[in-house]
Amino acid sequence: MKIGIPRALLYHRYAVLWETFFRELGFETVVSPRTNKAIQDIGEHYAVDENCLSSKLFFGHVAALEGKCDAIFVPRIADFGKDGIMCTRFEALYDICANTFREKGIRFISCEVDVHMKKTENEAYIGLGVSLGKTRPEAEAAWKKAHAAWEADLHAKMIKQEEALASTDKIRVLVAGHSYNLYDEYIGIPILKSIRRLDALPVCADAVDLQQAQIDSRKLCKDVPWTMSRELLGAVEKYHDQVDGIVLITAFPCGPDSMINEMIIRRVKDRPILNLLLDSQDASAGIETRLESFIDIIRFRKEVQKNG
C-alpha cells in the first residue's frame, strides 16, 4: 500500500513523524511536489473563496496526488486538551477533502486527535495503524519511534537556530508565522531567502520548545484559545531580546492570525514590525521591496543607537 501525504498545512510540522510512522508500519509514502503556481491554481479551483490561502494550497496538493497512491492521509485534529484548540480547518479538513474529491474516487485515511473527547494523540495514531491491518504492538512501536524522531528533529532545529544566533552579528529578524507558511516553497521560502539576500538572519518562530512556548505566551496574553497561535506568541516572547525586528506572515484571510498579529503589533513597542499578508495575488517583487525597506529601517535604527 502506498500512502500519499499532501505537502501542505501540518505536513511542515509533522513530516518526520508521519513519514517515520508509516515507514515503521511497512508502508511506502509519496509526498506531493513542492508548491508551484499550478498547484495553487488547482487548489483555488477546488476551494471556496472563504478558504485561507494555506487551505487552498492543501487542496492543490491533494489533487496532485491523484493516481499516484492508494490512499491519501488527512488527519483530523481538533485540540490538544488544556494546551488549546486548533483552528477549525484542521478539525474539518478530512470531511472537506472527502466531499470535495468524492467524484474522483480518492480514498482518504485519517486519525482523530480530540483530547477533550478523550481521543489522545498516541491512541489516534495507534488506532490508525490497527485500522491499516497492523497489530496493536506493531502500531505502538511505530508511534513511539515516530514521535521520538519528531522530537529529535525539532530539538535539532532549535539547536541550529541558537547556534546561528550566537555566531553572527548580522541583523536578526524573527519571522513569525506558522510552519505551513514559513516552509512552503511558493509563499514562505522566498521570504526567508529574501531576508538572507539582504544580509540578515531570519529566525523562524517554530524553532521553539512547544510546551515552553505555551507557557511563555501568557506573558503577552493569557486568553488565546488556539494552540498554534499561543506558540507564536511564545516565540515572540522567547526571541524578543535577541532580534532587531519582527516579520509577521499571514495567509489571507486567516481569522486567528488577524487577531494575534494585531495583538503583537499593539504590545511589542520596542521592535520594528512588518506585517505581510499573503494571498494568491501577491507579487514577489512587492514583498521583496517591503522587506528591503524594512531591513533598511532596522539598519538606520541600529546606526542611530550606535552613534548615540
Side-chain angles (χ1 to χ4, degrees), residues 189-200 202 288 299:
I189 292 296
I191 293 173
L192 301 180
K193 289 181 177 178
S194 292
I195 293 172
R196 294 189 184 98
R197 280 197 297 268
L198 294 167
D199 199 31
E288 289 174 4
R299 285 202 175 95

Side-chain angles (χ1 to χ4, degrees), residues 10 12-14 77 79-87 90 121 150 154 157 161 174-180 182 203-221 223-240 248 256-257 260-261 263-264:
L10 293 181
H12 296 286
R13 180 185 179 101
Y14 291 122
I77 303 181
D79 72 82
F80 293 98
K82 63 182 179 63
D83 289 333
I85 63 175
M86 295 287 281
C87 171
F90 299 112
E121 188 175 24
W150 175 70
L154 177 59
K157 186 185 297 183
Q161 182 152 285
L174 176 63
V175 188
H178 302 299
S179 56
Y180 51 81
L182 288 180
V203 179
C204 294
D206 71 319
V208 293
D209 181 308
L210 300 181
Q211 292 184 339
Q212 185 61 46
Q214 296 281 338
I215 297 171
D216 292 343
S217 71
R218 300 185 186 119
K219 297 176 184 177
L220 287 173
C221 182
D223 302 316
V224 175
W226 307 287
T227 185
M228 296 179 73
S229 297
R230 287 161 63 178
E231 290 166 5
L232 281 181
L233 289 176
V236 171
E237 180 65 28
K238 172 182 172 60
Y239 289 116
H240 172 271
L248 306 175
D257 277 4
I260 296 302
N261 290 352
M263 182 187 303
I264 292 172

